[in-house]
Amino acid sequence: MANDGPVEHGYPHLETVRAAITALYRRLSYDTIQTFATSVVPADVAFCDTDDLHLGAQRVAHELVRHYRLPDARMIVSFREMRHAANVELAAGPEYFVELNDRFRTHRRDIGAALAHEVMHVYLHRLDLSFPGVRDNEILTDTATTYLGAGWLLLDAFREDGASSQKLGYLTPEEFGYVLAKRALVFGEDPSVWFTSAQAYTAYVKGMELARRDERQPPLTAAGWAGRRRYARDRRHAPAGPPQPGVRYAFTPDGGGRLRVSFPCPTCHQRIRVPVRGRVRARCALCRSVLECDT
């Protein structure tokens, strides 16, 4: 939790974020991810200053348990002084003990954001889905929270001005915006209408720009002129050398000596391999996206 300290910006964790999206599709399946088409809405996690602190926190935790479809999980929420925003004890269940930073006693509107991340820890624990190392596992948790419909709360908790700052989660604001944008492109949802933070909206717009750029990478037909020109040049010299820096496609010969190109799916980032033979329609087996390619 950045509390009146510097907030990191940009995309330093982008490859881990993309790997987390792929891992979600592999572990949950396309059909299960489709059941999360509706995000948590503000009314379900609203928390005003007149609400009882502990009863209100329990109510919000229950709503997040319901959203993640953990009907037999019970969250016991308490508050204490700590360095991080929150912590959850991952035991066998069905009761899980969540501790929130004392800061949330007076910043109650962000309790939903903190709980969204901690309840996702329980969800991933039950799925037995994790990444090695604390940092990467927390990035997986933030990504899953966002892609499955509750992470807009984490981005909306980002506020920054000349005198103070606050950010929850391990992703940068722009990375939260990127994952939200990837979700929005899949489900046709516009989370920006729920933002109360102007800085969150700006980060979402930047994230959408990058998410759109994923859909315009060669060999996809939506690639721009410069990308197509570079792709054609690389194809002429393939597979003589290693992939060029800055490109996400790679050429390899198949068993018959014919050339194939592999590239990440713009939706789930699983690599797809297709023959180099002009116009090709590819279907991602993981997320079922149909991709128009010019190889």
Side-chain angles (χ1 to χ4, degrees), residues 24-127:
L24 277 177
Y25 273 96
R26 286 177 178 163
R27 184 65 182 86
L28 291 178
S29 81
Y30 166 84
D31 290 327
T32 300
I33 284 180
Q34 288 297 308
T35 65
F36 289 92
T38 302
S39 287
V40 172
V41 296
D44 289 342
V45 291
F47 204 126
C48 68
D49 291 339
T50 58
D51 289 342
D52 180 272
L53 178 64
H54 291 88
L55 291 179
Q58 294 292 151
R59 173 183 57 80
V60 172
H62 175 74
E63 287 296 331
L64 290 162
V65 165
R66 183 192 60 79
H67 176 76
Y68 293 140
R69 295 163 180 80
L70 293 167
D72 59 340
R74 297 191 296 274
M75 302 293 146
I76 311 301
V77 184
S78 62
F79 297 80
R80 71 173 176 87
E81 288 188 15
M82 65 174 81
R83 176 170 172 258
H84 297 290
N87 181 62
V88 62
E89 180 182 318
L90 293 176
E95 289 187 341
Y96 297 88
F97 295 90
V98 181
E99 295 176 315
L100 298 183
N101 192 299
D102 263 342
R103 173 183 173 87
F104 294 113
R105 291 179 182 272
T106 54
H107 292 73
R108 298 184 179 188
R109 74 178 192 176
D110 297 323
I111 284 177
L115 288 173
H117 178 97
E118 299 309 318
V119 179
M120 177 52 69
H121 269 302
V122 174
Y123 184 76
L124 295 177
H125 175 69
R126 290 190 167 195
L127 285 177

Side-chain angles (χ1 to χ4, degrees), residues 165-201:
S165 64
Q166 174 184 279
K167 186 188 77 69
L168 302 182
Y170 284 70
L171 300 185
T172 68
E174 292 78 14
E175 287 168 342
F176 273 120
Y178 173 76
V179 182
L180 268 179
K182 301 296 279 191
R183 172 185 167 80
L185 292 173
V186 168
F187 295 115
E189 185 181 69
D190 180 12
S192 65
V193 298
W194 300 322
F195 292 144
T196 62
S197 164
Q199 293 85 3
Y201 179 80

